[in-house]
Amino acid sequence: MVNGRVPMVYSKVYDTPRRPFEKARLDQELKLIGEYGLRNKREVWRIRYSLAKIRSAARELLTLDEKDQKRLFEGNALLRRLVRVGVLDETKMKLDYVLGLKIEDFLERRLQTQVFKLGLAKSIHHARVLIRQRHIRVRKQVVNIPSFVVRLDSQKHIDFSLKSPFGGGRAGRVKRKNAKKGDDAGGDEDEE
């Protein structure tokens, strides 16, 4: 306890590459950033880190005996979690398939990618802007985090927010201003 307060403890969410200037990796990261409209390399590293943790857990469970209680319990929990997120197919509920997962599988489940794929946005970058400007909701909750991981059961409920001009809410500032300007011009003509 420091000065009567408990210090916050944060864990790392990403890991930097061991070799900073490896050409093949740099090119692959840049391609992912362009394809999925990511902000920076850290977003790629964050997903790579979470994938590495999942794979290492699966590897550790695979070393145990098939009838082992820990492997049955934790393995099943891991598989169900991945299926619920939509990264793993229900037909592939085996730990061996977890080792075959790629970064792209996780990037596909981001809200930004889903909004673009559903046709709510014109481009992947437009999708990110819509999300940040609070135009998108998942079920009844407005979500403004582009990296929000969409579960399979929530995928059907992605839509424009009710308060958004795109979802039937009040018009935006510029549109209201232009409408007011139009009304004023119309009013002047009537007086003459």
Side-chain angles (χ1 to χ4, degrees):
M1 206 133 112
V2 185
N3 298 335
R5 288 185 301 134
V6 177
M8 294 292 283
V9 179
Y10 298 106
S11 63
K12 264 187 105 172
V13 290
Y14 72 95
D15 208 4
T16 52
R18 284 205 188 101
R19 296 181 174 178
F21 303 111
E22 205 174 4
K23 182 88 170 83
R25 183 189 51 75
L26 287 171
D27 291 344
Q28 189 223 3
E29 284 173 353
L30 201 61
K31 187 166 172 274
L32 286 175
I33 288 172
E35 191 179 337
Y36 292 98
L38 305 178
R39 185 173 60 143
N40 51 28
K41 298 278 177 84
R42 196 186 314 141
E43 291 197 332
V44 178
W45 297 340
R46 190 172 62 203
I47 290 170
R48 180 172 285 154
Y49 184 63
S50 65
L51 175 61
K53 285 209 288 194
I54 289 168
R55 287 181 55 153
S56 67
R59 265 201 312 273
E60 191 183 316
L61 291 171
L62 278 168
T63 58
L64 301 172
D65 186 47
E66 266 193 46
K67 296 285 185 279
D68 193 320
Q69 285 294 95
K70 184 179 176 182
R71 176 170 171 171
L72 289 172
F73 187 74
E74 289 184 19
N76 210 4
L78 178 69
L79 292 169
R80 271 187 303 135
R81 196 163 69 236
L82 292 173
V83 167
R84 191 173 61 200
V85 168
V87 176
L88 204 63
D89 197 11
E90 275 195 42
T91 56
K92 299 179 174 178
M93 287 266 289
K94 279 209 174 102
L95 285 171
D96 298 324
Y97 291 111
V98 175
L99 299 179
L101 289 175
K102 297 193 296 293
I103 293 179
E104 288 88 341
D105 299 327
F106 286 88
L107 288 170
E108 284 291 333
R109 299 309 307 166
R110 285 166 54 98
L111 181 61
Q112 183 180 354
T113 314
Q114 292 298 321
V115 167
F116 174 57
K117 291 272 167 77
L118 288 169
L120 298 176
K122 295 181 185 126
S123 72
I124 196 90
H125 305 290
H126 183 222
R128 192 178 184 102
V129 172
L130 285 177
I131 293 164
R132 279 307 292 164
Q133 293 175 355
R134 301 175 62 85
H135 290 297
I136 303 294
R137 70 187 161 115
V138 179
R139 289 206 162 94
K140 290 179 181 173
Q141 181 71 47
V142 172
V143 181
N144 68 338
I145 310 293
S147 63
F148 177 83
V149 178
V150 181
R151 290 181 177 179
L152 271 184
D153 54 348
S154 301
Q155 192 170 343
K156 298 184 282 293
H157 304 286
I158 297 171
D159 200 10
F160 287 117
S161 123
L162 298 172
K163 288 188 176 176
S164 159
F166 301 110
R170 137 179 149 153
R173 179 181 61 84
V174 175
K175 195 167 189 177
R176 286 200 309 270
K177 188 177 172 188
N178 289 341
K180 189 177 177 190
K181 203 188 314 178
D183 290 345
D184 291 348
D188 293 344
E189 287 164 15
D190 294 341
E191 288 169 10
E192 288 175 355

